[in-house]
Amino acid sequence: AITNAGAGLKVTRDTGTKYAGTASGKLVATTYDTPFYENFIPTTGSRVISFYAYTDGSAVTSADVQVYYDGAAQTSSYTSVGSGWYKVSATVTGSASVKKAGAIVKSGKTVYADSFDNTSATNISNVAGLSYADISKVSNIAVASIGKIIGVV
């Protein structure tokens, strides 16, 4: 669970607007671009940091929210997954030291964020026959197990 937020960010639990599970985080950046993050030690190599984001049903863009990693906003990709939700992701370089990872919400914006994840980009690209979008639908399964799954859609 992500537990750290900058002073300019109001964070509440919202059960009405969610991508998966029972709730999302409603993130309101009041005065400046503000991060919402967790400290963790990523493994080395390329990592994909991702989460699902929703604003008001319109397209989610870098004007709303970006992946936050190692103290900075990252160049992020935005993929529509339906109903106004977007998967926001960025590839970053892992490290053996503690890093901050999460989302940075732009000043004056309200973003609902759900299902934060970080995955090895190397393993994703090495799984034959499955696109990144297919793999992103599978959570909490070892990469070795993903290769054994037939017919992931």
Side-chain angles (χ1 to χ4, degrees):
I2 294 185
T3 56
N4 300 295
L9 192 69
K10 180 180 178 187
V11 179
T12 56
R13 184 174 187 266
D14 191 292
T15 58
T17 305
K18 59 188 180 290
Y19 178 73
T22 59
S24 68
K26 182 178 180 182
L27 314 175
V28 181
T30 55
T31 55
Y32 55 90
D33 296 358
T34 311
F36 179 62
Y37 64 90
E38 186 62 53
N39 293 314
F40 79 112
I41 301 175
T43 57
T44 57
S46 292
R47 309 291 303 168
V48 176
I49 307 293
S50 65
F51 56 91
Y52 293 88
Y54 177 90
T55 55
D56 58 7
S58 60
V60 175
T61 70
S62 60
D64 301 306
V65 65
Q66 289 178 276
V67 170
Y68 179 77
Y69 180 73
D70 198 19
Q74 302 296 307
T75 300
S76 303
S77 297
Y78 302 83
T79 305
S80 175
V81 294
S83 300
W85 284 92
Y86 282 74
K87 182 168 188 175
V88 182
S89 60
T91 301
V92 300
T93 301
S95 168
S97 60
V98 174
K99 300 291 182 186
K100 295 176 181 177
I104 186 162
V105 180
K106 300 306 176 95
S107 178
K109 299 293 184 171
T110 297
V111 174
Y112 297 86
D114 203 345
S115 302
F116 286 83
D117 194 19
N118 85 85
T119 309
S120 169
T122 302
N123 290 336
I124 287 174
S125 64
N126 288 336
V127 178
L130 298 176
S131 70
Y132 176 78
D134 291 331
I135 292 170
S136 69
K137 294 177 186 174
V138 181
S139 64
N140 298 322
I141 297 176
V143 171
S145 298
I146 291 174
K148 297 175 187 175
I149 296 173
I150 298 173
V152 174
V153 292

